[in-house]
Amino acid sequence: MHKTIKQLITLQSLDNKLKAINDKLGDLPETVKTLKYQIKEKQKENKKNSETIIENKTLIRKNEAKIEDNNAQTKKFQEQLYLVTTNREYDAITAEIDFSKKATSTAEDEILMAEENNEELKEKIKTIEINIEKTKEELKNAKKDLEQTINSTEKEKQKLEAEREKITKLIPKKYYNIYKRIYNARNGLAVVPINRDACGGCNSRIIPQKRVEIYKGGKIFVCDVCNRFLYAKNAVNDEHK
Ligand SMILES: [Zn+2]
């Protein structure tokens, strides 16, 4: 078998082992990131809820003051009613009283609404806080899992990376670049054995003349259809015998 092909097979095996280690980490890095983001968003939401509660309290106080003023006004008008002498005066003061009462009623409605809203917000804050605690617990676990997985695979990863570096240096750059491109494009399969009379990657038929050449192992061949490097399985087996 061609020396470069043999090296590419080794490289592919190393790359697949490294990929498996990365896969082992799986969603964990992404999970940790997502959980952190979720906690931050929920904290932001609760901060906003707390601010709204304070705004509502201010609104309640303002309306309470308004009601007090209105009541004083109404009382004053009612006293004046006893002193009126004309219908016109009477009507004018009655209108003032009605106006004042309506304003009080509006202020009372606003207080009620703000109070109800605050009750809802307090409940919401509680629910979100429980949620934050739960998410924090999840984050702690995910972080622990991630750390453990990294710790358990780090040594193996370093060994594989060292081997990879060594073999990469031996492979002519031109072939290495083709390999890289195909490996990434073809889901980690850039060097394939021929399967009977076809490419082991895409199953396209390989002409007999080319097959013979591949078996001889003197030159480097790629599949005409998928561009993967081709080798003869038996040739590998022979080497290992
Ligand atoms: Zn192919």
Side-chain angles (χ1 to χ4, degrees), residues 145-205:
D145 281 354
L146 180 62
E147 228 168 81
Q148 276 174 354
T149 312
I150 288 173
N151 285 342
S152 70
T153 53
E154 196 51 33
K155 229 175 161 182
E156 172 79 359
K157 196 178 168 189
Q158 277 171 6
K159 199 185 110 204
L160 291 169
E161 273 166 355
E163 278 177 50
R164 189 185 191 282
E165 209 186 315
K166 226 162 76 187
I167 198 127
T168 304
K169 278 181 189 153
L170 303 174
I171 300 168
K173 191 134 181 75
K174 177 183 144 193
Y175 293 119
Y176 176 76
N177 287 341
I178 297 172
Y179 164 84
K180 257 325 255 186
R181 187 163 49 79
I182 304 296
Y183 184 88
N184 290 330
R186 302 278 182 200
N187 216 6
L189 202 59
V191 196
V192 292
I194 43 176
N195 230 340
R196 272 185 240 169
D197 60 349
C199 162
C202 72
N203 253 332
S204 303
R205 197 174 170 274

Side-chain angles (χ1 to χ4, degrees), residues 99-155:
F99 182 79
S100 190
K101 276 182 175 166
K102 250 183 216 156
T104 298
S105 171
T106 306
E108 278 169 353
D109 285 348
E110 269 183 29
I111 288 173
L112 208 69
M113 256 159 57
E115 276 171 351
E116 271 175 17
N117 188 226
N118 274 0
E119 285 312 306
E120 278 167 24
L121 287 170
K122 277 178 198 163
E123 280 303 307
K124 229 187 218 171
I125 287 173
K126 250 192 248 163
T127 309
I128 291 172
E129 262 166 12
I130 291 168
N131 216 312
I132 288 173
E133 285 313 306
K134 235 172 79 190
T135 314
K136 274 184 177 169
E137 195 60 33
E138 276 174 55
L139 175 63
K140 209 174 95 190
N141 289 334
K143 266 181 170 171
K144 211 171 88 190
D145 281 354
L146 180 62
E147 228 168 81
Q148 276 174 354
T149 312
I150 288 173
N151 285 342
S152 70
T153 53
E154 196 51 33
K155 229 175 161 182

Side-chain angles (χ1 to χ4, degrees), residues 8-21:
L8 285 173
I9 293 170
T10 307
L11 178 63
Q12 178 168 272
S13 157
L14 290 169
D15 276 343
N16 284 339
K17 280 177 191 160
L18 281 164
K19 203 169 152 224
I21 286 176

Side-chain angles (χ1 to χ4, degrees), residues 1-7 175 216-220:
M1 190 189 299
H2 194 285
K3 197 174 71 191
T4 302
I5 289 289
K6 226 159 81 181
Q7 288 160 346
Y175 293 119
K216 276 190 198 159
K219 278 197 275 178
I220 294 172

